[in-house]
Amino acid sequence: MTASLKFGSVSLLPSEEEVEPSIYASLEAEYRITAAADSTSWGNAERIITAVRSHLQDGSLASVTAQDNREGTIKVRVESETYDGLAAGESALMAQTQVKGYNTLEWTPNVALARPTVFDVVYSYMDFDFDDFDETILRRTYKLTLALLPFGRSKDLITVQATSSGGSSTAPSYTLINDGGSLANWSGTHEVTQTDGYVQSRGGGIQVSPGTVNAYLTYDPSTFSMGGQPYLAVDYYVATASPDGTPPAVTVTDGDNTAQKLLYKAVMVAPSDRAGFSRAFYQIPYANVKTLRFEPVFTYVGSNSSDPYILRIDKIQRSATLPSIGTNRQRARSLTVPGSARARAKLIITADAGKTLGDLTMIYTRTATTGMQPPLRPFLVSSSSVTADPTSTISGGFNSMNSSMVFLVPANRLREAMFSLVLRMSSTAVGTAPITWSAALVSASNTDLPETGQIVSGVTTVNFPNTTYLTAEVGLLQLPTVPVAPDSANLIRLTISTTSNTLYFDEGWLFDLDNGVLSWVDSTGLTRLEARTADLTNPEPSYWGGSTNGGGETNLVRADYRVWSFGTHVFEPGVVDVLTVTSGTEGSACQASFYPCWHTHAGAVAA
Amino acid sequence: MNPLVWMKVDGKPMSAVQAGWGEPVITNRQPYGCWEVTWSVPVLRQTRRTSLMAGKSVVVYAGPAPIWSGRMTEPNWDTGEMVAEGWVRQSEQTICLDSTGKTSSNPDVVIAQAIARGALKWVQRSSFSSVDFVPGSTTDNLNYVKALLDAVTSTASLYWGVNARQELYTAPSNPAPMWKAAPDSGQMGTTDRALVGTLYGRYLLADGTLQTAVVPNPDLNGPEVGIDLTKLGTMDLSKATSILNSILSKGRARTGWTNGIELTSSQISSLGGSQLRSGAMVVAGQGLRLEGLRDPRGLGSRTDIVLAETIWDVAQDTIQCNPVGLEARDLGSIIEDEGGEMLAFSS
């Protein structure tokens, strides 16, 4: 078995590859360097643990907030025919500890079968212990100590596209398949009932240990046609011990070949027109369908074993397209970060050919969750009439702000956090206008509750220096005003009004700043924007903007001075949601470029 | 580094000015609003950043929202400590004048003039007060803007300040609680050193005669305290009475506190129960309810305080909450409070 260990350009294990000639080659010195397994270790990342003050009666709360450098040690033996050769070997090693910039340590357990892992060296030094016997046999032993970044990384840079789940800019039209009005053709593994327009499967909370429970709900009519439309739209509601309302997967049986069935996960979740429910979309390849079996997975952790598990289906429809949130100037995307540790990445947005990003670019990232997406227009229930305008708005329409606007957001979709309210508005008159906002908890039918008295509100004066669209941050809100149980149907009523009668509203956002990261840049004239997390060569997060010149190249220039919200985007392994808003271009490509990071050994990365 | 909190100095993000800058400590006060921010930069031997000079504007943000603004004072390059003071501090060095250069005691006139000649970098969104504090507006002495605004708000139960958007504001002095602290978050010690019972104010009428206004404290029989209001110029009975009422409402009617408390964000939630994860929204002027802590001044089963000063250390995630009514405990302040002065050598 041939392994390979390279410190910079010096190989620390004999291999078939030629050792790179050292600068002392003119002395015709020859040496052999061999690392020894004993006393060699890659070290381990140091954990930084932060305590959290709590009232736990037993035990204490703490979390690992970050990892610090690991210390690797390698024992190397230099052997040669001549004493000058020994010194040349020592010099070759010394040169690597003094490399300008940052060096790398590359370890491949088996050159033929394993993939290399690279550790970034922050600094390194070497020590020597004198041994008289070794001197007589022309052998010297050194100990290399290296301070390494906590995680190993893959050798190759990869680029991952953030794929958009947004479709056309018009709302899809739906054809009803089942309206949840009766139990005909419905069955399930647990208690199945029908009430209030929905079909429900419910299990009592008798789970006594952590684990998962499958509570299937099956719709099995005579074979029905998908009418050439590929999307199944299901209005669902889940109550589960893990409070993020993940839509159920569905096993679909092909109507033309009932032996054929496949399990599908939702490609998109959008608001439903029934309060408290969400609409999940599945992409189905069959022309005809026999059976739909909904398979929510309820996960019990810890001591929440008495919560019931409930799945409700309000209606099943089919549609030709997916809804998008407004125009394609605003797109909800997601990208998958491979690896097993947090990576340092460059997030890149580029405008379509011939377009610039516009004066507004916002990038909002968070670890994937089906919690509420920031855009507010889908939740607008009351306002002056909306005029469609797909060319100059983000949301696809605008309305006057003469009447106050009311948004209703499901309270269980908001994690307890600090939210920033950002509005995009225009004014027909230059000057200032006060914007008043308030949020309160209300019932599922928008009636007041005792909790409605807990109001979060404020007034902010916004200055309109001209009559074009302006994006303004108007306040910080701690939401939800009163936390609710995961199965609650209560809503947060957000009211926005102004005394000015010259204002128009395009779109608003509620950005969760505790669980997500917002970058907001004035991207006037830019065709490309990069948001980079800190890395060894640039230890601060930074923004870079490029504008395509006549030669088609983008001259990247530091764009920090254009920033209205500075964010250090986090790329943890798994799915990262990316919401992009670009006022100047409908199409935009979004990708992340990075080295996947691993605990200690690089793994395979899907192509 | 807390990814949420960042700063702009001289219009540029701090990380673009100097890499490796350290966590800010943000102080707000009520009255006065944004008071001070300190942060640290690596000590540089040979270079100086031109953006880090006295007078450069500083804004601290949480995400897209400004949470503090002011300007730099002289940086300390030996230690790398940077200090910025809130825009309200400009009023300590701005004279009250009207547009013709005469002294004035009309707050709206004084503020507008100071902004127009560039002495104050505030934004005035609404009228502060259009009433001449001294009849006839002109004063015999030169006054600083801060002294005038302090005097004007002392006649109403108000605080004033300059907020993170550089806007001048007034706020009620006894707001309802906005946040609550978890039980066992701290203990409040009390002192009755500043307790007042009935207030007697000696004031000057327009015809030059002296009169006394009396405001009894309905809550308890406390010591009688005499206050000299003649320095504020001539006034009538109703104005004198409202000044005395304002003193009572600003905490003098009850025993004072001897200490503030230090909280982390995990101990603070909104009144509705929504837990905070950072101290960005807790600022002086808001009310804080200390749950489960009996009010040692009376019969309440919980204690509501109004925050007079909040100091948020972002790196440690601690918020020092000092309440209104925090009594001075050092000898110099106590003597000064009594109207005296510490002796210094004079031949």
Side-chain angles (χ1 to χ4, degrees):
Chain A
M1 176 180 104
T2 329
S4 152
L5 181 63
K6 291 211 261 192
F7 180 30
S9 55
V10 169
S11 182
L12 299 181
L13 288 175
S15 68
E16 291 94 67
E17 295 171 13
E18 285 187 344
V19 172
E20 293 220 8
S22 78
I23 56 173
Y24 300 97
S26 58
L27 299 173
E28 290 177 345
E30 257 189 352
Y31 53 82
R32 195 167 71 160
I33 298 179
T34 316
D38 63 305
S39 315
T40 289
S41 112
W42 316 133
N44 276 300
E46 289 283 317
R47 280 146 281 273
I48 299 175
I49 297 178
T50 311
V52 175
R53 290 196 212 176
S54 79
H55 279 89
L56 275 180
Q57 291 179 317
D58 299 299
S60 59
L61 272 185
S63 63
V64 178
T65 44
Q67 311 265 8
D68 208 347
N69 291 346
R70 67 208 299 166
E71 186 176 272
T73 50
I74 308 176
K75 184 159 113 177
V76 290
R77 207 166 279 135
V78 179
E79 292 164 300
S80 177
E81 312 272 299
T82 64
Y83 283 98
D84 278 348
L86 284 180
E90 178 185 292
S91 302
L93 287 172
M94 177 75 172
Q96 290 304 318
T97 64
Q98 302 193 310
V99 148
K100 292 272 181 282
Y102 297 97
N103 212 338
T104 56
L105 182 71
E106 187 185 309
W107 162 240
T108 314
N110 180 317
V111 171
L113 300 174
R115 67 189 66 244
T117 305
V118 175
F119 295 96
D120 290 298
V121 180
V122 181
Y123 63 83
S124 55
Y125 55 88
M126 59 193 241
D127 295 323
F128 171 69
D129 281 325
F130 180 76
D131 184 311
D132 59 342
F133 181 69
D134 275 355
E135 288 293 318
T136 57
I137 59 168
L138 288 152
R139 183 170 78 187
R140 289 184 182 148
T141 305
Y142 297 89
K143 183 172 122 180
L144 279 174
T145 306
L146 309 106
L148 306 166
L149 282 188
F151 304 125
R153 61 167 172 85
S154 302
K155 187 164 174 182
D156 299 318
L157 197 64
I158 63 164
T159 304
V160 173
Q161 298 292 333
T163 51
S164 168
S165 54
S168 67
S169 57
T170 52
S173 66
Y174 297 101
T175 307
L176 185 68
I177 295 172
N178 179 279
D179 68 357
S182 84
L183 279 178
N185 299 316
W186 286 96
S187 62
T189 51
H190 289 72
E191 176 202 5
V192 179
T193 51
Q194 190 280 335
T195 179
D196 199 16
Y198 60 76
V199 174
Q200 169 177 292
S201 159
R202 181 199 166 100
I206 52 171
Q207 178 80 355
V208 294
S209 54
T212 58
V213 175
N214 296 317
Y216 300 152
L217 185 59
T218 306
Y219 178 61
D220 187 21
S222 45
T223 304
F224 61 89
S225 162
M226 289 294 284
Q229 296 180 321
Y231 294 106
L232 199 66
V234 178
D235 286 23
Y236 77 96
Y237 157 91
V238 251
T240 162
S242 39
D244 65 6
T246 310
V250 58
T251 298
V252 183
T253 307
D254 185 357
D256 297 324
N257 176 3
T258 52
Q260 167 106 314
K261 49 181 104 153
L262 286 173
L263 180 69
Y264 292 93
K265 292 202 173 150
V267 295
M268 179 175 181
V269 177
S272 156
D273 41 30
R274 179 171 185 154
F277 281 64
S278 301
R279 183 166 296 167
F281 289 82
Y282 306 86
Q283 191 170 355
I284 310 294
Y286 305 128
N288 299 300
V289 171
K290 175 75 177 84
T291 312
L292 297 172
R293 185 172 77 173
F294 297 98
E295 306 182 12
V297 175
F298 298 99
T299 307
Y300 285 82
V301 295
S303 54
N304 291 330
S305 53
S306 58
D307 293 350
Y309 29 96
I310 297 175
L311 169 64
R312 295 179 184 151
I313 306 276
D314 178 57
K315 53 177 176 276
I316 305 175
Q317 303 176 103
R318 54 179 162 85
S319 70
T321 56
L322 289 172
S324 63
I325 23 173
T327 66
N328 280 339
R329 290 189 194 90
Q330 172 161 254
R331 290 172 125 185
R333 315 171 200 244
S334 57
L335 58 86
T336 308
V337 176
S340 61
R342 186 158 59 184
R344 304 172 287 283
K346 249 196 283 197
L347 191 58
I348 306 164
I349 294 196
T350 45
D352 272 354
K355 295 273 179 74
T356 62
L357 290 171
D359 65 330
L360 171 70
T361 297
M362 293 202 278
I363 311 171
Y364 178 70
T365 61
R366 61 182 176 190
T367 312
T369 168
T370 49
M372 184 193 137
Q373 285 276 13
L376 283 172
R377 194 173 267 285
F379 300 101
L380 183 62
V381 297
S382 158
S383 71
S384 305
S385 61
V386 179
T387 311
D389 180 357
T391 49
S392 46
T393 60
I394 303 273
S395 66
F398 63 87
N399 55 273
S400 152
M401 290 175 71
N402 287 356
S403 325
S404 55
M405 301 190 292
V406 176
F407 302 84
L408 292 176
V409 176
N412 63 352
R413 293 244 172 279
L414 295 169
R415 294 157 82 163
E416 289 172 49
M418 178 167 81
F419 286 79
S420 168
L421 179 61
V422 177
L423 303 177
R424 188 163 195 260
M425 305 170 285
S426 70
S427 172
T428 53
V430 170
T432 62
I435 310 287
T436 306
W437 48 270
S438 77
L441 186 76
V442 294
S443 74
S445 45
N446 194 9
T447 54
D448 283 5
L449 300 165
E451 290 79 16
T452 307
Q454 299 293 339
I455 293 183
V456 158
S457 67
V459 182
T460 304
T461 306
V462 176
N463 184 33
F464 292 89
N466 53 45
T467 57
T468 54
Y469 274 108
L470 155 77
T471 312
E473 173 275 331
V474 295
L476 288 175
L477 301 74
Q478 177 73 15
L479 289 178
T481 53
V482 179
V484 297
D487 61 347
S488 163
N490 287 342
L491 307 165
I492 292 286
R493 180 174 63 207
L494 177 66
T495 310
I496 299 179
S497 62
T498 175
T499 53
S500 159
N501 57 5
T502 62
L503 297 195
Y504 289 87
F505 171 77
D506 168 11
E507 177 65 284
W509 297 270
L510 267 182
F511 291 112
D512 177 339
L513 294 181
D514 285 334
N515 296 300
V517 181
L518 173 66
S519 287
W520 173 359
V521 179
D522 175 348
S523 49
T524 310
L526 296 179
T527 58
R528 180 188 176 103
L529 181 70
E530 292 186 13
R532 299 185 189 171
T533 50
D535 61 24
L536 276 179
T537 43
N538 288 299
E540 295 289 338
S542 57
Y543 293 87
W544 296 79
S547 50
T548 315
N549 64 16
E553 293 134 19
T554 47
N555 301 309
L556 281 181
V557 172
R558 191 88 181 243
D560 287 21
Y561 70 97
R562 297 166 172 264
V563 166
W564 289 107
S565 173
F566 211 88
T568 313
H569 294 278
V570 178
F571 296 93
E572 286 178 350
V575 181
V576 173
D577 274 351
V578 183
L579 174 77
T580 58
V581 177
T582 49
S583 63
T585 173
E586 282 238 14
S588 54
C590 179
Q591 59 208 71
S593 154
F594 52 96
Y595 294 103
C597 286
W598 313 84
H599 182 279
T600 310
H601 298 99
V605 172
Chain B
M1 178 176 162
N2 187 322
L4 184 65
V5 174
W6 58 287
M7 292 173 58
K8 270 197 194 178
V9 176
D10 196 23
K12 299 179 253 269
M14 186 64 207
S15 58
V17 170
Q18 173 58 51
W21 63 281
E23 305 294 347
V25 176
I26 302 167
T27 305
N28 284 289
R29 287 195 184 166
Q30 188 76 309
Y32 308 130
C34 298
W35 188 253
E36 184 180 86
V37 150
T38 63
W39 71 103
S40 62
V41 299
V43 176
L44 304 172
R45 289 189 178 282
Q46 302 292 342
T47 49
R48 293 287 178 261
R49 300 293 180 215
T50 52
S51 295
L52 295 175
M53 284 169 35
K56 298 288 185 182
S57 78
V58 173
V59 187
V60 182
Y61 293 88
I67 57 173
W68 192 95
S69 73
R71 61 181 179 167
M72 278 199 66
T73 59
E74 209 56 59
N76 183 339
W77 288 108
D78 289 332
T79 57
E81 165 127 329
M82 305 284 123
V83 180
E85 60 180 21
W87 292 112
V88 70
R89 309 290 291 271
Q90 285 185 311
S91 63
E92 294 166 2
Q93 297 159 326
T94 304
I95 305 285
C96 298
L97 297 171
D98 67 13
S99 56
T100 64
K102 293 211 295 251
T103 61
S104 170
S105 67
N106 183 312
D108 278 353
V109 165
V110 161
I111 295 167
Q113 280 310 306
I115 293 175
R117 67 175 187 271
L120 291 177
K121 286 199 168 44
W122 301 350
V123 174
Q124 188 176 11
R125 293 277 180 220
S126 56
S127 162
F128 189 92
S129 161
S130 53
V131 173
D132 294 339
F133 189 67
V134 167
S137 184
T138 52
T139 57
D140 292 337
N141 302 310
L142 287 176
N143 288 300
Y144 288 113
V145 170
K146 178 160 180 273
L148 173 65
L149 298 187
D150 283 346
V152 169
T153 50
S154 73
T155 66
S157 298
L158 288 180
Y159 287 128
W160 71 277
V162 177
N163 67 17
R165 295 181 204 267
Q166 285 180 251
E167 295 164 340
L168 176 65
Y169 70 89
T170 54
S173 56
N174 228 357
M178 184 164 169
W179 308 111
K180 60 183 167 109
D184 291 341
S185 299
Q187 293 290 328
M188 304 293 293
T190 56
T191 170
D192 63 358
R193 202 184 66 80
L195 187 62
V196 298
T198 302
L199 290 180
Y200 293 88
R202 198 83 171 133
Y203 64 97
L204 202 57
L205 282 176
D207 61 10
T209 57
L210 289 167
Q211 287 287 310
T212 306
V214 182
V215 170
N217 181 346
D219 287 340
L220 63 102
N221 291 319
E224 295 180 347
V225 178
I227 299 175
D228 180 1
L229 300 172
T230 56
K231 286 192 311 223
L232 295 173
T234 59
M235 63 179 73
D236 58 11
L237 175 64
S238 70
K239 184 162 165 186
T241 310
S242 54
I243 294 176
L244 297 179
N245 276 320
S246 175
I247 293 174
L248 284 182
S249 85
K250 284 178 183 168
R252 293 307 192 183
R254 318 166 91 173
T255 50
W257 303 113
T258 54
N259 63 294
I261 52 177
E262 189 183 83
L263 299 171
T264 63
S265 59
S266 60
Q267 294 172 297
I268 306 178
S269 59
S270 73
L271 218 51
S274 187
Q275 156 111 52
L276 289 186
R277 296 192 199 288
S278 81
M281 289 190 289
V282 180
V283 289
Q286 295 166 341
L288 176 67
R289 168 162 292 167
L290 301 172
E291 285 288 7
L293 186 68
R294 294 191 101 21
D295 189 333
R297 303 169 298 179
L299 297 173
S301 62
R302 61 187 176 205
T303 309
D304 286 350
I305 60 176
V306 176
L307 298 172
E309 186 181 37
T310 53
I311 305 172
W312 179 29
D313 184 332
V314 178
Q316 307 291 327
D317 183 37
T318 54
I319 307 148
Q320 175 66 31
C321 299
N322 291 333
V324 167
L326 187 64
E327 290 311 316
R329 300 301 281 170
D330 62 286
L331 190 57
S333 302
I334 291 174
I335 291 180
E336 200 182 290
D337 277 1
E338 306 305 330
E341 215 177 77
M342 291 273 281
L343 287 178
F345 180 78
S346 70
S347 62

